[in-house]
Structures are given as structure tokens and as C-alpha cells.
Amino acid sequence: MAMKISQVSRDGGTIAYEVHGEGPLVVLSHGMGENRATFRHLVPRLVAAGYRVASVDVRGHGDSSAHWPTYAPSAVGADLLAVVRALGGGPATLVGSSSSGAAIVFAAADAPELVNGIVQVSPFVSQAKPNPVMRLAQAVVLRSPRLFGMFHRTLFPCGRPADDAAYRKEMVAKLRGRMAAVRGVIEPVEPHWTARTREVRQPVLVLMGTKDPDFKDPGAEARAARRLFPIAEARMIADSGHYPHADQPDATAADLAEFLAVTSRA
């Protein structure tokens, strides 16, 4: 599908996004180090299901401005709300992958009139406490686009999309000069997103790959996230890693469409 990049001004910079389709609004927000192209296989499926889909480059990533005073999830959530306002005020269902799973909680709690539901894809419920060796390795990886690309590849234990190599090459190229943003979106901040979940009164869906290598027990992590919200369900995507929208787009789109059929009527 043809790409037309739009931008919204925020905090002295711009947030890039692209929109496809017609219908109720769905806003997609990617995780650490990625860009909106991570949703390249999910977007056409949601458009075919009858939705207007905006995929966003998180601040510091993709075609958004490179340098920001903060990359905290509350700020990323406010960026997503700015996109919703720019597209007519929604309300929208927000889908946040990985680190963006925190951002959409802040957005839903801060502006319930703009958000009719949220979907956390592979969220991190607790802050990781790596041992000294892992902490050192993480510090090295998060300063090198090339090493981050190598790490990213490991998050597809069940197989990768046919165009994965091309996507990763472009992703790594776009990360040059932007690794501060990669580190910034996962920097520990207070309040943690889990402190805001009881304020989220909209329906919540948690999606997790059964083979997600970021978690010792993906199912337990998904259930832990679900229990934090007043109205929530958790679903597992079989034979999927950390990015089910990329490695299992049909199954992910099917679960999303079922959830969106509810939220779009709200």
C-alpha cells in the first residue's frame, strides 16, 4: 500500500505516522528500537476488516524527531493522544507493542474520552533486574544499532516474516544517532505503568506469544497483566515470539478484530 507520512507537533519535535483504511480508528505503537513498519503485515489485515489504522513512529524512532527531553511512557502516551486528536478525536483503540504497552495505559487513564480500549502486546509487568553480566551486555547492545539488530533477530524463535531481513536492515539504518531513544523508552520511571491500571475503565486485551523469549513464562506474564485491570482478558498467540503481529499476523489480526468489534461500538 502507498505510504503517506503525516506529522503532529509535540514538545518542539514532530511525531510521524501513516494512516490507511476507513472506519473506527485504531492506533498502533511499536516497541523499543523498532518503527511503524513492524506493523506492515498487520495493517492491511485490519484495514480489510473495516478499520482506519494509524501506525506511529514513537518519539526518537523512525521518521519522528530524533532527540527529546524525555522518552517516558507517559510522554509517549501523550504523543499517541495527540495523533488521535489530529485524526478527529476518535475515540480510538490503542495497540501498544512491548515498551509501548506502558504508554497506552497512561493514555487511556489520562484521556478516557479519546480511548475506547487498549491492547497490550507482550507487555512487561515488572521491571527487569538483570545480573551484572546481563546488565553490561544490555548496556553494550543498547548503544549499537548493529548489535541491537542482532538482538532483535533472537526475538523470533518460531520463524520470521519473509521480508524480515529487509525490515531489519532498514530498522538498523534508522537507528543511527537514535540509540538514546532506544534506551530512553525502557528507562525506569515513576510512576510505573502498573500504578495507573486501576484508572483504566476501558476494555483491555493482553496478547502474548506462547514462545516469547523475553519471559520465563509468557502465559503467567500475560495473566499478571490481565489481573491489573478492572476489565481485561488475556490471549496467547501460538507459535509466536515477542512480536506476534509480525510472525503470526493472521492470528493476531483475528484476536484484534474480535476485540475491536466490541470497543468500536463503545
Side-chain angles (χ1 to χ4, degrees):
M1 57 181 62
M3 178 180 68
K4 179 183 177 182
I5 301 174
S6 300
Q7 295 182 330
V8 62
S9 296
R10 288 280 303 151
D11 299 337
T14 57
I15 299 298
Y17 62 97
E18 61 178 285
V19 183
H20 298 279
E22 299 292 338
L25 181 61
V26 182
V27 177
L28 309 178
S29 184
H30 61 81
M32 172 187 74
E34 292 207 305
N35 58 68
R36 67 185 188 278
T38 188
F39 298 112
R40 64 199 180 279
H41 299 296
L42 180 62
V43 169
R45 288 165 168 82
L46 294 181
V47 168
Y51 295 94
R52 185 185 186 198
V53 185
S55 49
V56 179
D57 281 333
V58 168
R59 54 171 56 196
H61 295 68
D63 291 309
S64 292
S65 299
H67 304 292
W68 298 80
T70 178
Y71 302 94
S74 59
V76 174
D79 295 340
L80 300 179
L81 293 175
V83 171
V84 174
R85 291 187 181 97
L87 293 173
T93 301
L94 307 182
V95 180
S97 170
S98 194
S99 58
S100 277
I104 62 174
V105 171
F106 284 91
D110 289 341
E113 74 281 5
L114 298 180
V115 180
N116 56 20
I118 65 172
V119 181
Q120 290 189 311
V121 182
S122 311
F124 292 86
V125 175
S126 58
Q127 296 184 8
K129 297 179 176 63
N131 60 47
V133 174
M134 288 300 296
R135 191 178 296 115
L136 177 61
Q138 183 184 66
V140 172
V141 167
L142 296 185
R143 279 170 172 77
S144 166
R146 183 178 63 84
L147 291 178
F148 179 80
M150 294 171 64
F151 163 72
H152 183 271
R153 192 175 187 274
T154 70
L155 299 177
F156 290 87
C158 304
R160 299 182 296 279
D163 62 351
D164 183 65
Y167 166 71
R168 184 170 296 104
K169 182 178 180 180
E170 182 181 7
M171 179 191 73
V172 169
K174 284 181 176 290
L175 286 175
R176 293 180 185 128
R178 294 172 175 261
M179 294 306 290
V182 177
R183 298 188 297 273
V185 294
I186 62 167
E187 184 72 21
V189 294
E190 294 296 338
H192 191 257
W193 68 267
T194 55
R196 300 293 306 275
T197 54
R198 289 295 164 184
E199 301 173 56
V200 177
R201 298 296 175 177
Q202 304 93 321
V204 177
L205 174 63
V206 179
L207 291 179
M208 186 80 72
T210 58
K211 305 296 185 181
D212 191 330
D214 264 338
F215 305 105
K216 182 178 180 180
D217 185 339
E221 192 79 3
R223 292 188 295 274
R226 181 203 67 205
R227 288 193 293 266
L228 294 170
F229 297 97
I231 307 171
E233 63 175 311
R235 297 189 181 188
M236 305 301 295
I237 306 294
D239 300 318
S240 178
H242 194 60
Y243 305 109
H245 51 273
D247 64 16
Q248 293 290 351
D250 285 330
T252 302
D255 281 341
L256 279 175
E258 188 172 332
F259 181 73
L260 290 168
V262 176
T263 61
S264 61
R265 292 197 301 265

